[in-house]
Amino acid sequence: MPAQRQVPGAWTFFRQWLRNPRAMAALSPSGRQLTQAMIAQLPVGAQRVVELGAGTGVFTRALLAHGIRARDLLVVELNEELHGLLQAQFPDARIVHGNACDLAAIAARNGFEAADAAISGLGFLAMPREVQKGILSAVFSVLGPGRPLIQFTYGPASPIPRDLLEELGLSVRRGGIAPINLPPAFVFVYTRA
């Protein structure tokens, strides 16, 4: 694994995309404009944050720079190689190799209930509805009341179907756009009253 840690994050990310494009949802890590648009949606005073699908740690790094303490950050990454990369880069954060559908159990094992926000780089558009539902149910079981899930996608419409939002009692608003991201990205913020 030591040689693997020396590989630049963007190359690792692209290599993982080549292996499984549907699982990665993007060709390259998110750019600075998208990262800023995501971080801008954090609630004022947010301290405990869950990150799903952290990839190479672009949002992780931004969350730490924003003032979220490493011990108050729970990062869940399904891809084993990216998980190893994240552990090497952020040794003080809680980096878990796991599935976002299992977030409630992961959070319980890590003493991480009632998070202030969740940030997601997951490719919801490539997921079956039942997987989307499982992830959203898990996320909102961990978030405190009225706390947001902040998600980006590469299209102007929400990646979560309207009927699923209604079924789960979620509301959505567009949080921003990153037109110079490659590809351009849109930020959506989901909450449950």
Side-chain angles (χ1 to χ4, degrees):
M1 188 103 165
Q4 179 180 336
R5 290 183 182 153
Q6 296 171 354
V7 175
W11 174 244
T12 301
F13 192 94
F14 182 67
R15 211 173 55 238
Q16 296 306 306
W17 180 85
L18 286 173
R19 288 183 185 153
N20 190 352
R22 288 181 60 87
M24 292 304 291
L27 280 167
S28 64
S30 300
R32 180 175 296 147
Q33 187 183 51
L34 175 55
T35 302
Q36 290 171 348
M38 294 282 281
I39 297 298
Q41 298 305 314
L42 286 171
V44 174
Q47 295 178 10
R48 293 169 59 84
V49 177
V50 172
E51 182 182 3
L52 304 173
T56 60
V58 172
F59 297 145
T60 312
R61 196 169 293 104
L63 287 164
L64 295 169
H66 182 72
I68 304 298
R69 295 176 300 195
R71 70 174 184 256
D72 291 328
L73 182 58
L74 175 62
V75 179
V76 180
E77 175 57 56
L78 182 60
N79 181 288
E80 190 172 350
E81 186 172 352
L82 293 174
H83 170 259
L85 181 71
L86 291 165
Q87 279 189 312
Q89 289 184 77
F90 309 105
D92 296 329
R94 300 172 201 211
I95 310 292
V96 178
H97 180 232
N99 190 315
C101 287
D102 301 326
L103 180 59
I106 291 168
R109 280 195 307 272
N110 284 275
F112 213 87
E113 293 83 8
D116 295 321
I119 285 192
S120 170
L122 299 175
F124 275 102
L125 287 173
M127 296 175 188
R129 186 182 193 283
E130 285 308 308
V131 174
Q132 292 176 342
K133 182 178 178 179
I135 292 171
L136 291 169
S137 295
V139 168
F140 283 95
S141 74
V142 170
L143 288 175
R147 296 305 192 174
L149 164 62
I150 304 161
Q151 172 72 46
F152 77 90
T153 190
Y154 296 118
S158 165
I160 309 299
R162 176 71 47 199
D163 66 319
L164 181 55
L165 294 175
E166 290 172 3
E167 180 182 338
L168 296 174
L170 301 177
S171 60
V172 61
R173 67 175 173 81
R174 186 177 294 162
I177 183 172
I180 62 171
N181 193 72
L182 189 61
F186 297 80
V187 177
F188 289 90
V189 180
Y190 301 89
T191 53
R192 178 182 280 160

